[in-house]
Amino acid sequence: MKFSEKWLREWVNPALDTDALVEKLTGAGLEVDAVEAVAGEFSGVVVGQVTSVTPHPDADKLRLTKVNVGADELLDIVCGASNVREGLKIPVAVIGSVLPGNFKIKQAKLRGVPSFGMLCSSKELGLTESAEGLMELADDAPVGEDFRVYLDLDDKAIDIDLTPNRSDCLSVAGVAREVGVLTSEDINAVACDDVNATSSKTFEVKVEASAACPRYLGRVIENINPAAETPVWMQEKLRRSGLRSLGPVVDVTNYVMLELGQPMHAFDLDKIDQAIHVRLSEQGEKLTLLDGQEIETQAGTLLISDSEKPLALAGVMGGKESAVSSQTTSLFLEAAFFAPEAIAGKARSYGLHTDSSHRFERGVDPELTKSAINRATALLLEIVGGEAGPVIEQCSEKELPEIASIHLRADRVKRVLGLELNKETVSEQLTRLGLVVENVDGGWQVSVPSFRFDLAIEVDLIEELGRLYGYDKLPNTRPQGTVLTTNITETLTPVERLQNVLVDRGYYEAVTYSFVEPKIQQLLAEDTSAPIKLANPISADLSVMRTSLWPGLVQAMVYNANRQHERIRLFEVGRVFKGTLDNIDQHRQIGGLIYGSQYAEQWSQKPRNVDFFDIKADVEALLKLGGGQITYEAESHPALHPGQSARVYKNGKAIGWLGALHPKLNKPLDIDGKVYVFELSLSDVVETDVPEFETLSKFPALRRDLALLVDDAITAGQIEDCLREIDSDILKSFQLFDVYSGDGVELGKKSLAVAFILQHKERTLTDDEVDSLLNSVTEALAQTLNATIRS
């Protein structure tokens, strides 16, 4: 919210200088972002009037002018501006003037013709960043008066950064109310009395979406003067608030929005067909906005339309077809209350953000519409003339926000703030904030005004009292509390342990958004069910909740790869969201990604890019912490390479995936090279087998090796599964230690060498026991996998 300090002081004028006022506002939670002069540093500039214009004898683009600056003689000034003309009033820098940038005006010759000053544009005076031609002043500007005095330029523009809950301060009136409370000064509010109708002209209004628009007011104003100009004082207040003048009708609506906080809009009445309809849009309706952008509406967007076509995006921006122009003679002026939830996110969904939507989506006072339309009517009649018709109102009382009534306890104030406030002070401050306060036993009963959407419960009022008292003055007390114990269990691996394992293996932890771009989500999703959409997304690119950690990790990888990082290892622990809005299933996952070379560049090893087995080794290191029977099955995932993907199982339960991203995704994801990813259910990964103590045998262990001939399709995992089924009290462990195919092994076969460790707890093994076990092993392998002993 940006506004002129002098405008604010018209409402409330405390005995504080600018710095003290800014400090008060910031201390009360209305953080001041910037304070800047409303004009550049200049002196000696006066109001002048061009009395004659003749061509320059030696330059086509220059003109010789005579200018009246209230002195004894007219000044001869050479000017190159295209809009210079006889009778024009402009700011004139006379000889000796100093313009912004310490630019001193001296007598000069331009193409051989003496020039005794300079006709100025608004840019040259530091009023605007750009300008086309000279700054044109009003016809009643007093010739010879100091230009700074004429426009009252010894002023500051104050820019406040408001939190979303303080929509009541998005106006000069709202800020003035705060200053009045902070300084105990009374407010000089502007008059918003009813404007008597001088015309019987009305226009039909139909509100078909009363929940989204509980109150709508309109008024017809006929026979306005289309040639009227916005007064200088209004143009200046708008400029100092960051808005440029767009003509008297639009300027008045913007002025009332800045002054009172009520966004308004004016339609050209002659361009509206039959009636105003406030309704929800259908899918695909077309509307060209004031900025020239053509949009197709989404279903459920609140629209202002006539009987034939949409006229405006309600609470966001008007349409170009019904806009006021320099030929407009009749207006339909509207002021409405739109429910914040009906406007929130709608502007962003169309790629827009306006002053109007900024206010409506945070909440505008539903009781302000009548005052605003009367204030705007009075200003319009003063500036452009015309006859005003009666106010047309459509209101659904049951849809309006209810006025909250809060019981505030004195002892609760003392306990929360740590100090005892004077009861009279509490009543005065809350009353100055616009609240209705009634003294009751032990405290106050407070009725919240319609413009304070942020006050709902007792602690909200206590926060207000603490804010007004001064956060810096609140007493310091040490927090008290009890130490909470946590249950330490050996059945779960701490998440920090998993994170440390990955960091030790060269990974960096990433924290990505829980909401992602729908297209990337679709490319990397395991299932085709629709993701959960956000009702009010930050942007269209972050509009759905993630169902996997991969979209965020892949985007982070691409971002780093585009900045010349050639070796990337990222992991994340976070929640994914599945199901529907009514039944959201959210659980934590741990996911990772590797890309680029396996090792940093070095002399002892040749460079090698990462492969499937590198990421499989990282996953095995994670799963080893928890124990359990881990298996990897070659299965298909839509986002993974068919030949390099595996589903991970723990104790027979599927807990995640690992593999290479499918090559078809490289182009849409802007990936150059192979990327390997994994994602596991965190709750399953942290489940840990509790170790049990077993006494060590004092008898010697034996090792026996078997070379098995099996089909090429047989995996080591199948061998291990078969051996685990053997019931023996002397088989301690087994380990595959060699794989061979080639000379001596028939085509389609391979040789697997397995080492068996044999030991008994209570005695030394005999040859018969060992031979018996190995016979059982070979029989089981032969029956299950058709394996034979290699001779």
Side-chain angles (χ1 to χ4, degrees):
M1 174 63 192
K2 187 177 182 182
F3 56 90
S4 156
E5 180 185 350
K6 288 199 171 183
W7 192 3
L8 175 66
R9 290 186 182 275
E10 292 176 12
W11 281 73
V12 58
N13 191 14
L16 299 173
D17 61 15
T18 303
D19 292 339
L21 177 62
V22 165
E23 185 178 353
K24 279 280 187 185
L25 289 171
T26 299
L30 308 181
E31 184 178 356
V32 175
D33 264 359
V35 178
E36 56 189 21
V38 300
E41 286 292 331
F42 63 85
S43 62
V45 179
V46 298
V47 176
Q49 184 174 26
V50 179
T51 60
S52 69
V53 180
T54 56
H56 192 290
D58 297 322
D60 293 338
K61 293 184 178 181
L62 295 180
R63 300 289 184 272
L64 306 182
T65 68
K66 288 189 178 293
V67 182
N68 179 13
V69 294
D72 294 335
E73 297 180 355
L74 300 178
L75 299 182
D76 291 318
I77 299 177
V78 180
C79 177
S82 59
N83 63 330
V84 64
R85 62 186 182 275
E86 187 175 332
L88 179 66
K89 289 188 176 180
I90 47 359
V92 181
V94 299
I95 301 298
S97 300
V98 180
L99 298 185
N102 200 32
F103 179 66
K104 297 180 181 179
I105 302 298
K106 302 176 182 178
Q107 181 180 342
K109 280 189 176 183
L110 297 178
R111 291 291 184 93
V113 178
S115 181
F116 297 90
M118 175 179 172
L119 308 186
C120 300
S121 68
S122 56
K123 179 182 179 181
E124 290 162 338
L125 298 175
L127 300 177
T128 58
E129 293 183 359
S130 61
E132 295 182 1
L134 302 176
M135 181 178 181
E136 300 189 15
L137 304 181
D139 292 339
D140 60 355
V143 172
E145 184 173 351
D146 188 305
F147 184 70
R148 293 193 74 91
V149 174
Y150 168 63
L151 286 187
D152 198 10
L153 293 177
D154 293 327
D155 188 12
K156 298 289 178 62
I158 300 175
D159 194 356
I160 296 179
D161 185 15
L162 294 170
T163 52
N165 64 316
R166 293 309 306 272
S167 59
D168 59 298
C169 290
L170 286 168
S171 65
V172 174
V175 177
R177 183 167 48 239
E178 289 288 311
V179 174
V181 179
L182 295 170
T183 61
S184 298
E185 294 283 345
D186 293 333
I187 306 298
N188 302 313
V190 297
C192 297
D193 300 330
D194 290 348
V195 176
N196 294 327
T198 55
S199 165
S200 59
K201 178 73 173 181
T202 61
F203 201 73
E204 187 177 8
V205 173
K206 296 181 180 180
V207 178
E208 299 159 17
S210 60
C213 177
R215 174 168 282 154
Y216 187 95
L217 275 69
R219 175 174 240 162
V220 172
I221 302 177
E222 297 180 289
N223 301 321
I224 69 170
N225 177 12
E229 295 184 356
T230 305
V232 173
W233 62 266
M234 182 177 287
Q235 290 188 40
E236 274 299 293
K237 285 182 177 179
L238 292 174
R239 182 186 69 82
R240 297 175 198 188
S241 300
L243 298 180
R244 60 191 179 93
S245 177
L246 297 172
V249 175
V250 177
D251 288 350
V252 165
T253 59
N254 284 336
Y255 181 84
V256 173
M257 177 185 69
L258 293 172
E259 183 180 57
L260 302 181
Q262 173 69 55
M264 304 182 69
H265 188 67
F267 299 98
D268 187 325
L269 184 64
D270 295 331
K271 299 176 182 177
I272 305 176
D273 187 40
Q274 296 182 15
I276 288 286
H277 296 262
V278 184
R279 60 176 177 84
L280 298 179
S281 67
E282 298 177 359
Q283 186 71 32
E285 294 187 72
K286 292 185 178 181
L287 172 64
T288 301
L289 300 174
L290 286 171
D291 62 359
Q293 175 185 349
E294 184 178 74
I295 63 169
E296 289 191 8
T297 61
Q298 305 160 8
T301 300
L302 189 62
L303 288 181
I304 310 297
S305 69
D306 62 15
S307 299
E308 298 292 332
K309 60 189 178 300
L311 301 176
L313 276 181
V316 180
M317 186 182 290
K320 191 172 183 178
E321 188 174 341
S322 59
V324 173
S325 69
S326 57
Q327 284 77 44
T328 299
T329 58
S330 297
L331 306 174
F332 182 79
L333 186 65
E334 72 161 19
F337 169 69
F338 301 120
E341 55 271 20
I343 306 300
K346 294 300 182 183
R348 281 193 292 275
S349 68
Y350 293 101
L352 301 169
H353 180 78
T354 64
D355 289 328
S356 179
S357 67
H358 186 80
R359 287 165 171 79
F360 276 124
E361 63 188 8
R362 285 159 173 77
V364 173
D365 182 4
E367 303 297 327
L368 185 59
T369 49
K370 187 68 175 295
S371 299
I373 203 166
N374 280 317
R375 174 65 169 156
T377 301
L379 290 170
L380 285 170
L381 295 179
E382 178 185 337
I383 297 170
V384 298
E387 293 86 41
V391 174
I392 308 153
E393 181 174 6
Q394 295 291 335
C395 181
S396 175
E397 294 287 348
K398 65 179 181 179
E399 306 286 359
L400 291 172
E402 295 183 3
I403 296 176
S405 181
I406 305 171
H407 179 55
L408 176 62
R409 296 165 289 176
D411 58 347
R412 179 70 170 171
V413 174
K414 181 178 179 181
R415 185 155 69 90
V416 174
L417 296 182
L419 55 89
E420 188 168 357
L421 294 175
N422 182 278
K423 289 188 175 182
E424 289 72 20
T425 301
V426 171
S427 296
E428 180 191 357
Q429 289 186 330
L430 294 180
T431 301
R432 285 184 179 275
L433 282 175
L435 285 68
V436 178
V437 182
E438 179 185 354
N439 290 311
V440 297
D441 291 341
W444 306 265
Q445 193 67 32
V446 181
S447 294
V448 179
S450 55
F451 55 81
R452 288 303 297 267
F453 286 79
D454 58 319
L455 302 181
I457 56 178
E458 185 180 25
V459 292
D460 293 334
L461 296 179
I462 297 174
E463 180 187 4
E464 289 295 287
L465 294 173
R467 180 175 68 84
L468 298 175
Y469 181 81
Y471 294 128
D472 56 330
K473 298 177 184 177
L474 293 175
N476 295 324
T477 56
R478 293 183 180 276
Q480 297 179 350
T482 56
V483 178
L484 300 177
T485 59
T486 58
N487 294 325
I488 299 176
T489 174
E490 293 182 348
T491 62
L492 296 176
T493 302
V495 176
E496 291 80 4
R497 182 93 183 275
L498 304 178
Q499 294 169 315
N500 288 337
V501 166
L502 290 174
V503 170
D504 291 343
R505 297 179 74 85
Y507 284 76
Y508 288 90
E509 184 170 11
V511 179
T512 64
Y513 284 118
S514 296
F515 22 90
V516 297
E517 184 179 355
K519 291 182 180 179
I520 296 181
Q521 177 92 291
Q522 186 178 8
L523 291 173
L524 297 173
E526 179 181 356
D527 55 51
T528 57
S529 58
I532 299 171
K533 292 184 178 181
L534 295 176
N536 187 18
I538 294 175
S539 68
D541 293 339
L542 298 170
S543 59
V544 299
M545 301 301 293
R546 65 185 178 190
T547 59
S548 167
L549 301 179
W550 289 349
L553 290 172
V554 168
Q555 286 181 294
M557 182 278 296
V558 171
Y559 181 89
N560 283 275
N562 289 340
R563 282 151 184 80
Q564 300 179 330
H565 292 277
E566 299 177 352
R567 184 173 180 268
I568 300 172
R569 287 172 175 256
L570 300 172
F571 80 92
E572 181 173 9
V573 177
R575 294 188 183 277
V576 298
F577 306 84
K578 299 181 180 180
T580 63
L581 279 175
D582 299 328
N583 185 24
I584 298 178
D585 174 25
Q586 52 177 310
H587 54 275
R588 299 177 77 194
Q589 301 274 93
I590 182 169
L593 171 150
I594 61 175
Y595 167 82
S597 59
Q598 168 64 2
Y599 303 105
E601 187 175 356
Q602 55 179 296
W603 59 270
S604 63
Q605 286 190 343
K606 292 182 179 180
R608 174 179 72 82
N609 285 337
V610 292
D611 59 24
F612 176 86
F613 296 101
D614 292 320
I615 199 163
K616 183 172 181 285
D618 296 332
V619 171
E620 287 178 338
L622 277 181
L623 298 176
K624 187 176 181 181
L625 296 176
Q629 184 178 346
I630 307 299
T631 56
Y632 303 86
E633 298 291 341
E635 298 184 20
S636 297
H637 185 291
L640 298 180
H641 194 296
Q644 299 185 48
S645 66
R647 195 157 199 178
V648 185
Y649 290 83
K650 182 175 182 178
N651 299 327
K653 177 185 177 182
I655 65 169
W657 290 90
L658 68 93
L661 285 185
H662 201 295
K664 70 181 181 182
L665 301 182
N666 281 22
K667 185 174 182 179
L669 294 177
D670 194 23
I671 295 173
D672 183 15
K674 284 195 172 184
V675 177
Y676 296 87
V677 293
F678 73 85
E679 186 169 13
L680 308 169
S681 168
L682 187 63
S683 60
D684 293 305
V685 174
V686 298
E687 282 185 3
T688 303
D689 290 343
V690 179
E692 297 180 3
F693 175 74
E694 185 178 287
T695 58
L696 298 176
S697 175
K698 60 183 178 180
F699 298 96
L702 303 177
R703 170 173 169 155
R704 293 291 184 268
D705 295 347
L706 289 180
L708 306 172
L709 278 175
V710 297
D711 293 335
D712 275 337
I714 300 299
T715 64
Q718 291 175 287
I719 299 285
E720 292 179 350
D721 291 342
C722 180
L723 295 177
R724 286 194 186 97
E725 297 296 324
I726 297 175
D727 184 17
S728 172
D729 61 347
I730 65 172
L731 179 58
K732 292 300 177 184
S733 64
F734 50 85
Q735 177 65 47
L736 174 70
F737 67 90
D738 187 39
V739 180
Y740 172 75
S741 60
D743 293 343
V745 177
E746 63 181 281
L747 190 64
K749 297 282 187 177
K750 62 184 174 183
S751 174
L752 302 179
V754 184
F756 297 87
I757 305 300
L758 313 176
Q759 188 181 38
H760 198 281
K761 292 181 180 180
E762 300 175 353
R763 53 185 164 77
T764 302
L765 296 176
T766 64
D767 289 341
D768 290 340
E769 289 177 305
V770 173
D771 292 340
S772 176
L773 174 64
L774 293 180
N775 288 334
S776 299
V777 168
T778 55
E779 289 177 7
L781 291 171
Q783 292 176 4
T784 306
L785 303 174
N786 196 28
T788 59
I789 304 300
R790 183 184 174 196
S791 57

